[in-house]
Amino acid sequence: MVTGLADLLQPLFHAGAAAAAIVLFTACVRLAVHPLSRASARGQKARTKIAPQIAELRKKHAKNPERLQKALMELHAKEKISPLSGCLPSLLQMPAFFLMYHLFSNRTIGGGQNELLGHSLFAAPLGGRWTDALAHGGMFGAAGLVYVALFAIVAGVATFTFRRTRIQMAAMPAMPAGPDGQQLPGMGAMTKMMPLLSFATLFTVGVVPLAAALYVVTSTTWTAVERYFLYRDMYRDMAAAKAERAEAGSAKAGSAKAGRGPVAGGPGPGPGPGRGRGRRAGQGRGPGYEQGLAE
């Protein structure tokens, strides 16, 4: 299919037709699995929606794991949400991605030579790697400039994804990752490292063949744009809810601070209610009181 697509693109891209075919084929596959991405987004949004209810159930049944598990199952059944609704569609996409990576990174396919890797993008062979480009002309040689352009694209997409992920994770409430409502071990560390994973593509592009690098760059860029449009409303709502909670907390703190002023009827100058109490109490104690004082 990719070879046939390259033949169709030959009049437009000439020597770079195979590279253009890889990019176009990757985009077509991502478009074909887009419904799965939308299903994954719907599942993520649904789990985010019931996150406050899950937190309440965890607090209510903290000492009864069996009751908590039953309550969580009832909640998911009531809301018609599967605990794996966000993960399963993503997993279903993996075979297609592994297949494409295998196609664009192996020199032999089905016992024969991979014809795609025999083509080139400008002066860079699709079967070559960045180290080959550095050995023949250096970083700013004819082949090295192709990788410089790819690194620039990946760095821009990674920076966008990093900032977007930081904003999204700051707005997202703490959600249990396990089906029983408990946080999975190591989830906190992984959450901190997750925004940095976007830069791992730079390393991938530097070590895989150029054909696979084109696939990785195209797929990564598609993912960044796709997630932006699929999740923008969810994170906008979460950010608005977080701002409302922060505003309510500030108003509550301000009210508490304003109520710390002098209390009416508190200590002040002059005799208080307790002063002179002894004199008033002694006025009605009879002559024995005065005699006791004299003694």
Side-chain angles (χ1 to χ4, degrees), residues 141-156:
L145 288 177
V146 174
Y147 284 91
V148 170
L150 290 180
F151 284 135
I153 296 173
V154 171

Side-chain angles (χ1 to χ4, degrees), residues 47 54 69 72 76 83 175-184 187:
R47 294 205 312 271
I54 292 178
Q69 180 70 19
L72 289 174
H76 284 89
M175 292 180 58
D180 60 348
Q182 300 293 331
Q183 196 79 2
L184 293 178
M187 183 60 65

Side-chain angles (χ1 to χ4, degrees), residues 14-97:
H14 304 291
I22 292 174
V23 174
L24 183 58
F25 180 75
T26 303
C28 290
V29 173
R30 293 305 306 264
L31 182 62
V33 300
H34 178 70
L36 294 176
S37 299
R38 294 181 65 88
S40 179
R42 287 194 297 269
Q44 179 67 34
K45 293 176 182 179
R47 294 205 312 271
T48 303
K49 182 180 179 181
I50 65 173
Q53 301 178 55
I54 292 178
E56 293 179 1
L57 292 176
R58 291 178 61 190
K59 183 178 180 180
K60 181 179 180 180
H61 305 292
K63 298 181 180 180
N64 193 340
E66 295 181 359
R67 185 67 185 92
L68 173 61
Q69 180 70 19
K70 183 178 179 181
L72 289 174
M73 293 178 62
E74 293 175 352
L75 175 62
H76 284 89
K78 177 182 177 182
E79 300 293 336
K80 298 181 180 180
I81 299 174
S82 170
L84 301 176
S85 56
C87 303
L88 188 58
S90 299
L91 294 176
L92 292 176
Q93 302 179 42
M94 299 306 296
F97 298 154

Side-chain angles (χ1 to χ4, degrees), residues 219-241:
S219 185
T220 302
T221 304
W222 182 286
T223 299
V225 176
E226 184 180 61
R227 289 187 63 85
Y228 172 78
F229 284 102
L230 288 180
Y231 292 92
R232 67 186 188 279
D233 55 340
M234 183 182 74
Y235 293 114
R236 182 177 62 244
D237 295 342
M238 288 193 301

Side-chain angles (χ1 to χ4, degrees), residues 99 182 234 242 293:
L99 177 63
Q182 300 293 331
M234 183 182 74
K242 183 178 180 180
L293 288 178

